[in-house]
């Protein structure tokens, strides 16, 4: 028998220390959620799976456990080996700084900048709650360095590093639907970018706000923010291209075909001469495969029949070992695109099957749950038997059927 994971032992220990039954804990989780929640029997089954180590809590349940027990997500669910690795990383940077007899120093800055690239590259394959813990530790270290002696050049580089880290932290918060925390980190990132006169970070802040607005169904606001990001971003930068993509997606959600296709054309003109970057998984660096994935999402939202074949091709590339290797989280999102496109071509059976594959990967983050819900409602409208199974799986993994219906965004 395999060893029970450390996080599952912590879950059980925290509950038993308080003298709670699993049903007591289910009530506490429902209270902490402050929203419609699954029936207690369903939650108890989930708790039993978590405490036995059968399934690791998804991001939503991880956050709820931490609220109930008053512990941080990284401290509670982080792998002790990961903690040691992260501590070693910070300690190594600190030792090099002291050896250079400088409060900051060139080598310290370079290693921090490399760490930012590593964190941004880890984003597509790391649960947002776990990545957020690593981002916080690096931000704490940058904050300590900002309080020390440094040259003007060193000060600016620290501001830029802090800006990227704050922006990545905001992205993780949005993935977790922690919007007040995301807004605070975006404000910090924007302020640091202004002090450092770093236009691309400023543009990414606006683009990230546009993405959040899009997930909340505020499509016109998303379009305005996307255009604002394009006004700020350096031409042909990744932020400019990404913001153009968000504009196209916002137009698609509003059903504006000509405006959508104009945005897609502009993206293609910007991306076509681009080489594949060394680290295509880097969240803040655009790459051709990301462009294709954005195009599929946009066409599926526009209900364009061409999206089906395009989505199949993109899914193949995202799961192949070409162009930087498999990208499982992007592939899960691409399956939702394919499912929605299949609904538009009146293929609800396959749409349901593909959506089920996306959900059972457990790679969808909370900010993407609404896209799964949208497919579920579309499958149900066709009245096929698979709809009940699809709804039940969603219920078990992500929330109640009533809430799934309630949170479908406008425009569907």
């Amino acid at each position: 028998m395999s060893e029970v994971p450390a996080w599952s032992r912590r879950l059980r220990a925290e509950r038993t220390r308080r003298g709670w039954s699993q049903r007591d804990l289910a009530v506490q989780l429902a209270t902490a959620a402050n929203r419609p929640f699954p029936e207690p029997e369903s939650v108890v089954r989930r708790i039993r799976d978590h405490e036995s180590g059968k399934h690791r809590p998804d991001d939503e349940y991880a956050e709820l456990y931490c609220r109930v027990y008053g512990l941080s997500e990284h401290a509670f669910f982080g792998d002790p080996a990961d903690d040691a690795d992260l501590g070693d990383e910070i300690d190594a940077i600190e030792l090099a700084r002291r050896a250079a007899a400088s409060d900051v120093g060139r080598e310290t800055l370079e290693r921090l900048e490399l760490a930012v690239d590593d964190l941004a590259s880890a984003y597509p394959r790391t649960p947002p709650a776990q990545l957020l813990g690593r981002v916080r530790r690096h931000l704490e270290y940058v904050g300590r360095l900002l309080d020390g002696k440094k040259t003007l050049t060193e000060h600016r580089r620290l501001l830029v590093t802090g800006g990227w880290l704050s922006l990545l932290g905001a992205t993780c918060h949005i993935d977790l639907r922690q919007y007040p925390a995301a807004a605070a980190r975006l404000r910090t990132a924007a302020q640091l970018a202004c002090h450092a006169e770093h236009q691309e970070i400023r543009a990414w802040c606006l683009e990230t706000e546009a993405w959040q607005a899009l997930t909340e169904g505020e499509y016109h606001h998303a379009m305005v923010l996307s255009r604002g990001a394009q006004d700020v971003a350096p031409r042909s930068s990744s932020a400019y291209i990404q913001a153009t993509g968000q504009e196209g997606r916002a137009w698609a959600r509003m059903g504006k075909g000509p405006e959508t296709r104009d945005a897609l054309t502009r993206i293609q003109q910007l991306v076509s001469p681009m080489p594949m970057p060394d680290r295509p998984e880097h969240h803040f660096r655009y790459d051709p495969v990301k462009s294709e994935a954005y195009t599929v999402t946009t066409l599926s939202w526009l209900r364009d029949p061409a999206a089906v074949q395009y989505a199949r091709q993109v899914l193949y590339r995202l799961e192949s070992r070409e162009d930087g290797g498999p990208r499982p989280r992007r592939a899960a999102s691409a399956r939702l695109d394919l499912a929605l496109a299949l609904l538009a071509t009146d293929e609800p059976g396959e749409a349901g099957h593909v959506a089920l594959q996306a959900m059972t990967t457990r790679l969808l983050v909370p900010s993407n749950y609404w896209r799964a819900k949208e497919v579920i409602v579309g499958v149900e409208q066709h009245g096929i038997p698979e709809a009940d199974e699809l709804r039940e799986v969603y219920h078990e993994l992500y929330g109640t059927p009533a809430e799934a219906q309630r949170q479908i965004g406008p425009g569907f």
Side-chain angles (χ1 to χ4, degrees), residues 32-353:
N34 194 29
R35 62 165 180 76
F37 211 60
E39 294 298 319
E41 291 77 11
S42 175
V43 180
V44 167
R45 288 197 299 272
R46 187 80 64 91
I47 291 169
R48 190 178 300 124
D49 285 349
H50 294 162
E51 291 188 351
S52 68
K54 183 177 179 181
H55 295 302
R56 185 185 178 96
D58 61 22
D59 292 321
E60 182 181 19
Y61 269 81
E63 181 186 356
L64 291 176
Y65 280 127
C66 291
R67 286 187 199 173
V68 168
Y69 292 134
L71 297 168
S72 72
E73 291 185 30
H74 186 69
F76 201 46
F77 293 99
D79 188 330
D82 291 341
D83 288 339
D85 289 346
L86 181 56
D88 289 344
E89 181 181 348
I90 297 294
D91 288 346
I93 296 174
E94 175 66 5
L95 181 60
R97 181 189 70 81
R98 290 179 177 177
S102 168
D103 280 1
V104 183
R106 178 181 58 82
E107 184 175 352
T108 299
L109 289 166
E110 288 176 352
R111 293 180 70 165
L112 278 173
E113 289 160 354
L114 287 172
V116 169
D117 287 337
D118 289 343
L119 291 168
S121 298
Y123 172 78
R125 62 178 185 273
T126 307
Q130 181 180 337
L131 186 63
L132 190 56
R134 297 176 62 192
V135 170
R136 284 174 178 145
R137 287 287 303 276
H138 282 85
L139 276 169
E140 289 170 3
Y141 186 63
V142 169
R144 293 200 300 271
L145 293 178
L146 281 169
D147 290 334
K149 294 178 182 179
K150 54 202 169 299
T151 67
L152 287 176
T153 299
E154 290 168 348
H155 181 73
R156 183 184 183 277
R157 288 175 70 179
L158 280 175
L159 293 177
V160 171
T161 297
W164 285 121
L165 288 169
S166 297
L167 181 61
L168 184 58
T171 305
C172 293
H173 282 303
I174 293 171
D175 276 335
L176 297 169
R177 299 179 68 85
Q178 299 170 346
Y179 295 143
R185 290 206 185 274
L186 281 175
R187 284 193 296 270
T188 298
Q191 289 170 355
L192 293 173
C194 281
H195 289 309
E197 298 181 343
H198 198 291
Q199 295 297 92
E200 185 164 13
I201 293 178
R202 287 185 60 204
W204 273 110
C205 289
L206 290 168
E207 187 279 335
T208 303
E209 285 189 68
W211 167 49
Q212 179 181 332
L214 198 65
T215 66
E216 291 295 288
E218 300 173 1
Y219 305 133
H220 186 268
H221 186 45
M223 182 272 293
V224 172
L225 286 167
S226 298
R227 287 189 162 183
Q230 292 169 63
D231 290 339
V232 171
R235 183 81 178 182
S236 79
S237 66
S238 290
Y240 185 92
I241 301 171
Q242 183 92 351
T244 306
Q246 295 293 17
E247 180 194 346
R249 298 208 299 179
W251 284 125
R253 295 304 291 186
M254 291 188 282
K256 304 292 187 179
E259 292 86 347
T260 301
R261 296 180 192 287
D262 174 68
L264 291 177
T265 299
R266 283 182 277 138
I267 292 173
Q268 179 59 31
Q269 291 171 346
L270 290 164
V271 172
S272 56
M274 289 178 63
M276 179 63 67
D278 293 337
R279 304 181 78 169
E281 70 277 14
H282 196 297
H283 184 60
F284 299 116
R285 292 180 190 162
Y286 215 81
D287 66 85
V289 179
K290 184 181 288 187
S291 172
E292 293 175 0
Y294 262 66
T295 298
V296 168
T297 303
T298 305
L299 292 176
S300 68
W301 286 354
L302 199 60
R303 304 296 195 269
D304 188 322
V308 173
Q309 189 56 36
Y310 206 174
R312 295 189 197 280
Q313 294 171 1
V314 168
L315 182 58
Y316 172 79
R317 290 191 66 179
L318 290 172
E319 294 185 321
S320 75
R321 297 192 176 279
E322 302 171 6
D323 300 328
R327 278 160 269 189
R329 192 191 296 179
R330 282 199 206 174
S333 296
R335 280 191 164 82
L336 295 181
D337 292 330
L338 175 57
L340 193 60
L342 288 164
L343 285 174
T345 55
D346 200 27
E347 299 175 76
E350 186 181 357
H353 175 70

